[in-house]
Amino acid sequence: MSENVVGTQFVGKKSRVFWLALKTGMLTVLTLGFYRFWMKTRLRRWYWSAIRPGGYPLEYVGDPFEKLLGFLIAVVVLAFYIGIVNLLLMFLSYSFFQDNFVAYTASFVGVVPLWFYAQFRSRRYVLARTRWMGLRFGLEPGAWGYAGRALLYWGLTLVSLGILAPLMVFRLEKYITDRTYFGTERMHQGGRWTMLYRPMRPLIISVLMLIVAAVLFVAEQIGPGTGLSVLGMGGLLYGYFAFKVNGLAVLTRHKHLAGCSLEMRPSAGAVLGIYALGYVLATFVIAIPGTALFILLLVVQSPDTAAELSLGTGGWVADQSRWVLVAVSAMLYFSIFLLWSALTHTFVTMPTIKHYARTLTLIEPASLLSITQRPRDAAEQAEGFAEALDVGASI
């Protein structure tokens, strides 16, 4: 590549992330979940350091204690909401409607804005703790503004039966991008929301095929309807990935920062293949301890049934007490989840990030050399609400 265009390297190895995810997951289980904040920090540092735009690695400098403190604060706030607000809603619901349905509905609707609020706060914290070439990223405050816009655009998308999904995706991404900083320079999201209809075409075609298939079924044209429905369902899966992957590529190509622009050309088919093959491999490996757990649970709960199936009628299993078998079953149970997490990092998350990273290029990166450092963002509460609402569970 020329000096005006630089690529991005990814130097991580599958074996490294597997053992890191497995080890940190085990520590999380042994500490009853408290090590989760250290686990996410260590995994992010590994992923960030493996991504190297222009040969310079990203740095993640998040503090696990910030995450833990933010989580505890969020739990207190949510406990107040669940304990006081829900109690009031339940009282009003029974007083006016003699039923609890209205209370549950209002409680759920009340949590939705918090979910979007947590999404924005999580992204703000991650950016505030990310560096490249020694310069900090940052995101201006605006979590409630994002939550309000997310509710509006999601409402429009649902009312339009998905037709306005590109408008929602573009407006929400622009809201975040236009508030994102690298050092002292602000990023800008260009383009128009209608440009996302091109990545959405496979999804639209698949939906139309399913509609035609439904009409054929009603008209009792079973053969053609079945074929179209199968094609439509397969196309729906590919269309989702095409809209997600190609839409991200289109948005990325219209981002600008201090004269530098980004280019990304991932393959929707490649990402779909990574997910399909990765989950198949993970499921195949998990089947081994899963089968052992099933056998042990069968022996513990119903020795007679196990004997009929020739399970537990002899050998080590038959000689153990029920409590030993329960303990072994619990160990196998947690082992399955730990192994699943490590395997999905190895076969799904890491290959996907690697694919995106290797298709990312920077155009005119020399313009970034004039950018100076920005002040450190305190980012109070860190990812507390994201952790409490399970929004920030991913890397």
Side-chain angles (χ1 to χ4, degrees):
M1 292 186 180
S2 66
E3 293 183 358
N4 294 332
V5 180
V6 298
T8 303
Q9 302 172 344
F10 188 92
V11 299
K13 302 293 184 181
K14 289 183 179 179
S15 58
R16 295 290 300 275
V17 73
F18 173 81
W19 290 114
L20 179 61
L22 188 64
K23 179 173 63 176
T24 54
M26 189 178 301
L27 291 172
T28 300
V29 171
L30 293 176
T31 58
L32 302 180
F34 276 98
Y35 195 78
R36 168 179 174 162
F37 309 100
W38 281 261
M39 176 187 71
K40 292 185 66 175
T41 299
R42 293 182 63 181
L43 282 169
R44 277 185 185 158
R45 286 175 181 169
W46 186 89
Y47 278 107
W48 267 233
S49 64
I51 303 171
R52 302 185 175 184
Y56 295 94
L58 294 173
E59 298 177 74
Y60 180 70
V61 293
D63 187 347
F65 285 102
E66 291 178 331
K67 299 177 188 293
L68 175 60
L69 180 60
F71 173 76
L72 295 176
I73 294 174
V75 167
V76 172
V77 174
L78 291 175
F80 172 81
Y81 176 82
I82 294 172
I84 305 300
V85 177
N86 280 5
L87 182 63
L88 179 61
L89 289 173
M90 194 68 69
F91 172 77
L92 294 175
S93 180
Y94 274 108
S95 298
F96 291 99
F97 303 100
Q98 288 75 49
D99 192 78
N100 59 6
F101 176 76
V102 175
Y104 285 129
T105 302
S107 178
F108 172 77
V109 172
V111 170
V112 173
L114 285 177
W115 195 83
F116 292 122
Y117 171 87
Q119 276 189 319
F120 187 93
R121 289 300 298 263
S122 175
R123 185 157 175 175
R124 185 185 175 198
Y125 177 78
V126 171
L127 284 172
R129 297 297 179 264
T130 298
R131 297 177 182 177
W132 183 54
M133 297 193 302
L135 297 178
R136 302 185 185 97
F137 286 86
L139 181 62
E140 286 183 346
W144 287 119
Y146 178 82
R149 286 166 174 79
L151 288 173
L152 172 63
Y153 290 123
W154 265 105
L156 291 174
T157 300
L158 294 175
V159 169
S160 66
L161 300 179
I163 295 175
L164 293 179
L167 175 65
M168 175 189 69
V169 173
F170 178 80
R171 293 296 184 188
L172 293 181
E173 183 62 24
K174 183 173 176 60
Y175 182 85
I176 292 178
T177 303
D178 289 352
R179 286 163 176 76
T180 300
Y181 281 82
F182 175 61
T184 54
E185 287 292 327
R186 183 194 294 264
M187 189 175 289
H188 173 66
Q189 176 67 62
R192 297 173 57 85
W193 66 275
T194 51
M195 66 187 181
L196 292 177
Y197 275 112
R198 185 180 179 87
M200 195 179 179
R201 282 191 302 183
L203 194 59
I204 296 174
I205 293 172
S206 300
V207 171
L208 292 177
M209 291 174 64
L210 289 174
I211 293 174
V212 173
V215 172
L216 290 175
F217 272 118
V218 172
E220 298 184 352
Q221 299 293 323
I222 306 301
T226 302
L228 269 179
S229 62
V230 172
L231 288 174
M233 291 301 295
L236 202 65
L237 178 62
Y238 175 78
Y240 168 77
F241 276 89
F243 182 55
K244 182 178 179 180
V245 175
N246 297 332
L248 174 62
V250 170
L251 289 169
T252 302
R253 289 198 291 269
H254 288 82
K255 295 183 190 293
H256 305 282
L257 174 67
C260 174
S261 57
L262 304 177
E263 180 79 12
M264 178 184 283
R265 297 195 177 276
S267 167
V271 175
L272 176 58
I274 290 171
Y275 272 75
L277 180 60
Y279 281 115
V280 167
L281 289 173
T283 302
F284 177 76
V285 176
I286 286 295
I288 300 173
T291 302
L293 176 62
F294 171 77
I295 293 173
L296 281 173
L297 290 177
L298 189 61
V299 172
V300 171
Q301 295 180 1
S302 181
D304 294 335
T305 303
E308 293 176 4
L309 297 175
S310 298
L311 300 174
T313 57
W316 182 85
V317 173
D319 296 334
Q320 305 306 313
S321 68
R322 181 179 295 266
W323 291 110
V324 172
L325 294 177
V326 168
V328 174
S329 299
M331 291 175 60
L332 276 172
Y333 177 79
F334 285 112
S335 297
I336 289 173
F337 281 96
L338 291 175
L339 192 57
W340 177 261
S341 176
L343 289 170
T344 52
H345 272 288
T346 304
F347 295 126
V348 180
T349 306
M350 196 212 84
T352 302
I353 294 176
K354 180 179 180 179
H355 178 73
Y356 280 122
R358 288 190 168 180
T359 64
L360 176 65
T361 57
L362 283 67
I363 303 173
E364 300 294 343
S367 61
L368 302 178
L369 297 178
S370 61
I371 298 178
T372 56
Q373 184 67 286
R374 65 178 282 105
R376 186 178 186 275
D377 186 351
E380 296 88 354
Q381 300 176 16
E383 298 173 278
F385 281 95
E387 295 284 357
L389 294 172
D390 203 24
V391 175
S394 64
I395 295 300

